[in-house]
Structures are given as structure tokens and as C-alpha cells.
Amino acid sequence: MSSDLGMRRRRAVWRASHRGTKEMDYLLGQFAEQAVDSMNSEEISVLERLIEMQDPEIELSVYEGYSLGDRDLDTLVSLIREFHGFPGSRK
């Protein structure tokens, strides 16, 4: 199982860094590189779900703090906002 988890972690970092727009590549990729090693399987699942979303949805959530309508995704976006020091985050 640990090799599967390791593969998911590596894949999540790569996907977060290669989404299509430079801004989202940077924001999600930098966060993923820092956080993914401490994530468990469920947390990686949430990251994988976020990575599959369209950039405009993620941008509104990350930049403006809008809810994605899912508590787990909103919690992850809050961590991303805090990591990057966006206004309204706890950092």
C-alpha cells in the first residue's frame, strides 16, 4: 500500500504543477510539493478531486475565498490560501 500511496503522491504533485495555466500550476504545485508527503490517502483523494476541477472554479475559491460547495474541498482550499498568505487566511 505504501508504494501505491507514494505513486499517488508523486502523481498529485505532477498534476498540480501541470494543469494548464501558469498561475494555477504555481499555486497548486507549490502547495502540493510542500504538503503531499504529510497527506494520508483520504487527503490525497481530496487533492486529486481539486486538481480535476476547472481552473475558473478553483481561481474563485483560492483568490476570492468562494466555497466550492464541498466541506473537504473548502478545507483544502483554506490550507492553500493560508500557505500562500492570501488575505483572510490565518497566516
Side-chain angles (χ1 to χ4, degrees):
M1 170 151 158
S2 65
S3 66
D4 180 49
L5 188 57
M7 178 62 81
R8 287 180 65 202
R9 285 177 172 147
R10 288 188 298 276
R11 187 178 301 133
V13 169
W14 192 89
R15 283 288 299 129
S17 302
H18 296 83
R19 296 186 37 79
T21 64
K22 289 181 183 181
E23 293 83 4
M24 284 295 104
D25 288 355
Y26 176 79
L27 292 174
L28 297 180
Q30 291 294 311
F31 173 80
E33 285 178 18
Q34 182 272 334
V36 76
D37 286 337
S38 65
M39 291 180 163
N40 62 34
S41 181
E42 292 81 22
E43 293 167 328
I44 291 173
S45 292
V46 175
L47 178 59
E48 290 167 338
R49 286 177 36 219
L50 182 67
I51 291 168
E52 293 303 318
M53 295 182 74
Q54 297 296 314
D55 281 351
E57 291 177 280
I58 300 171
E59 288 170 358
L60 283 174
S61 186
V62 170
Y63 292 138
E64 304 296 330
Y66 287 100
S67 173
L68 292 170
D70 179 290
R71 188 180 76 204
D72 293 336
L73 289 172
D74 289 343
T75 299
L76 178 59
V77 169
S78 291
L79 293 172
I80 294 168
R81 288 175 54 82
E82 184 177 338
F83 176 79
H84 288 290
F86 282 100
S89 62
R90 295 185 300 249
K91 193 172 187 178

